[in-house]
Amino acid sequence: MKELHRSEMGMAAPLVRHVHLGLGNFFRAHQAWYSSHALDAPEWGIAAFTGRGSTRSNAVVAALNAQDGLYTLVTRASDGDRFEVVSSIARVHTADDHAAWLGYFADPLVQVVSTTVTEAGYLRGDSGGLDVDRSEVRAEAAVLRGDLGAPVRTAPARLVAGLAARRSHGGGPLTIVPCDNLPRNGSAVARVISDLAELVDPQLSAWITGNVAYVTTMVDRITPVPTPEDLAGAEAETGVRDRAAVVTEPFTEWVIGGEFAAGRPRWEDAGATFTGDVAPFEQRKLWLLNGAHTMLAYAGSIRGHVTVADAMRDETCLRWLDEWWEAASRHLTLPAADNAAYRAALTERFANPRMLHRLDQIAWDGSQKLPIRVLPTLRLERAAGRLPSGATRPVAAWVCHLRGAGATVTDARAVEFRQLASGPLPDAVRLVLKALDPDLAADEDVIAAVLAQARELGQT
């Protein structure tokens, strides 16, 4: 059985000019794929780091290092699979390789830093800035005040440490490209970094303001965690043993807005859209795709479904999905015909029976996702004097999830929210909503609607 190696495939490793934090499946199906398809790909190799040092992520690093950064991307359509080798990752590192991290930031050739660390990874507080009350934030700020080169673990601290290394070595301007599902993610990440840098060293904060650009992005490509069967199937079809293969769907979208401080890959060659205003695309994707995924993750798993495709075969879930889409679509600013086509495409993507996108994985970190994906629509509907069932059901399903129904709770604020949801159902609904949005919790009609739907989902 053959294995992936650059020498055997006649490939040279590309020059490292791009650093990425968050070496997950989505990054390898999305940003790394776009870089691989850029016409200047040999000039924009990626040094990729895991976001945290878990056993799974370290195993991915070991597999990719054994394969010279190469891996197979399996594009899974309803009528069959396509296989390609992605070659844009030049170096791979674990989260604890802090010296390498600082070294890349210090290098003037590196001009782009991208991130996929999930919404929770930026450690934002309710105001949108850095949550300075978190113990890990206080601890790492203290570490960096003592030594800007000391090892740190959180994403904001690693970015600030890297930028400090760049300043001290005269590395010049660079651009940070966040690729997580946060509204206006460029400005959101800029604020987090600024907040931490100000705590650590005001002079560093001023340097960052003058030398670091942030662009806002909208990313879209459904990428489930590959199963052992996926890896075995890819090996059987390609004749190549690949321990780092990734499975994704045919659809992909990347919308990028803002000015880069220095160079960047020609991602437009692979279909990326550069625009002056990402917000309409971002809003549509967050509400119609991510909001729908969030609703299905909780309500669908409560009804016994395992994957998104399973839920799409359930007429009740389909009705709930349409109700959510109707509520959210009323507040989109892109043309109605485009939004209708987007919904039709989502229906087809979600129903792809060969994409095993697990609801329990989508359900992670609801405390970070609902405020971004669901609550804006509910607030807008209330401001318009409406209270459609589609706008409240995701909240009701999440309350039920916190009380033990459906998928297992995996959340950055699990202890807090499970405690809030543990009492009598009427109290649980009110307390959970109050923690999410005090104004919504003061709306008795919203409370009544969420309570009724929670009971409909089987809670007492």
Side-chain angles (χ1 to χ4, degrees):
M1 182 67 65
K2 294 188 296 183
E3 295 191 355
L4 288 174
H5 294 290
R6 291 186 186 271
S7 58
E8 293 181 10
M9 302 186 69
M11 292 181 177
L15 181 68
V16 173
R17 297 181 67 193
H18 173 183
V19 172
H20 182 82
L21 178 60
L23 180 58
N25 297 306
F26 178 76
F27 156 69
R28 286 182 284 142
H30 196 272
Q31 295 87 23
W33 179 87
Y34 278 88
S35 286
S36 186
H37 284 262
L39 291 180
D40 55 358
E43 302 171 25
W44 285 98
I46 304 169
F49 288 75
T50 59
R52 46 189 176 266
S54 68
T55 300
R56 175 183 291 178
S57 61
N58 289 345
V60 170
V61 169
L64 285 169
N65 274 326
Q67 297 172 181
D68 301 327
L70 303 176
Y71 60 94
T72 305
L73 186 67
V74 183
T75 303
R76 179 151 294 166
S78 56
D79 61 351
D81 292 343
R82 299 194 305 275
F83 306 89
E84 66 173 298
V85 174
V86 176
S87 58
S88 55
I89 298 179
R91 302 284 185 273
V92 187
H93 301 272
T94 58
D96 59 3
D97 195 350
H98 196 58
W101 174 261
L102 298 181
Y104 289 120
F105 270 80
D107 186 348
L109 286 176
V110 171
Q111 297 179 359
V112 170
V113 175
S114 56
T115 56
T116 48
V117 298
T118 77
E119 297 94 328
Y122 298 104
L123 306 182
R124 299 165 74 226
D126 293 338
S127 68
L130 183 70
D131 188 349
V132 296
D133 293 326
R134 293 179 68 133
S135 59
E136 64 265 51
V137 170
R138 294 196 304 270
E140 295 207 317
V143 166
L144 291 174
R145 279 195 294 269
D147 179 359
L148 285 169
V152 285
R153 299 184 61 82
T154 65
R158 291 168 73 181
L159 290 167
V160 168
L163 294 172
R166 192 168 187 88
R167 178 188 62 164
S168 67
H169 287 81
L174 58 67
T175 305
I176 293 181
V177 186
C179 299
D180 287 293
N181 292 317
L182 284 171
R184 299 172 297 281
N185 54 24
S187 58
V189 174
R191 182 176 174 187
V192 166
I193 290 175
S194 177
D195 288 350
L196 182 56
E198 192 67 31
L199 286 175
V200 170
D201 177 356
Q203 291 185 339
L204 173 60
S205 179
W207 182 89
I208 290 171
T209 299
N211 290 272
V212 179
Y214 302 83
V215 298
T216 291
T217 72
M218 187 282 290
V219 298
D220 188 1
R221 196 170 206 184
I222 296 172
T223 308
V225 175
T227 66
E229 291 77 18
D230 291 328
L231 300 181
E235 182 176 312
E237 290 291 330
T238 64
V240 175
R241 178 176 289 110
D242 184 351
R243 293 171 291 164
V246 177
V247 177
T248 193
E249 64 170 336
F251 181 91
T252 184
E253 187 174 22
W254 196 4
V255 182
I256 304 168
E259 297 296 324
F260 284 71
R264 64 164 179 85
R266 288 182 50 88
W267 289 318
E268 61 268 37
D269 297 335
T273 298
F274 287 82
T275 180
D277 188 7
V278 175
F281 300 91
E282 172 188 84
Q283 185 183 70
R284 182 173 67 183
K285 191 259 183 172
L286 281 171
W287 295 357
L288 298 193
L289 189 154
N290 298 122
H293 266 170
T294 293
M295 189 275 293
L296 291 174
Y298 306 126
S301 66
I302 289 169
R303 288 181 60 80
H305 303 304
V306 175
T307 69
V308 174
D310 293 339
M312 294 297 287
R313 291 190 288 270
D314 180 336
E315 290 299 324
T316 297
C317 286
L318 285 176
R319 173 169 56 83
W320 291 345
L321 183 62
D322 282 336
E323 289 172 355
W324 164 251
W325 278 344
E326 284 299 315
S329 294
R330 282 193 281 267
H331 306 285
L332 299 176
T333 59
L334 291 171
D338 291 354
N339 295 335
Y342 188 82
R343 283 173 57 174
L346 284 179
T347 300
E348 182 178 352
R349 294 168 65 191
F350 286 4
N352 183 343
R354 304 185 66 250
M355 287 293 292
L356 302 180
H357 201 187
R358 293 181 61 91
L359 296 173
D360 58 357
Q361 293 160 357
I362 300 170
W364 288 11
D365 288 324
S367 66
Q368 310 295 307
K369 293 174 178 175
L370 265 76
I372 295 168
R373 302 177 175 189
V374 172
L375 297 190
T377 291
L378 179 52
R379 293 190 196 102
L380 289 166
E381 286 293 279
R382 292 307 288 144
R386 296 186 294 264
L387 186 58
S389 58
T392 51
R393 186 168 288 106
V395 180
W398 190 55
V399 173
C400 298
H401 166 73
L402 293 171
R403 291 168 64 85
T408 301
V409 176
T410 303
D411 196 290
R413 299 173 65 184
V415 173
E416 172 190 355
F417 274 101
R418 290 185 72 176
Q419 179 63 34
L420 293 174
S422 64
L425 184 61
D427 295 342
V429 167
R430 192 175 299 276
L431 290 171
V432 168
L433 262 176
K434 185 176 181 180
L436 288 175
D437 186 321
D439 291 338
L440 289 175
D443 188 328
E444 293 300 326
D445 290 337
V446 171
I447 293 291
V450 173
L451 180 59
Q453 288 176 331
R455 286 172 172 154
E456 178 188 1
L457 287 164
Q459 288 295 300
T460 56

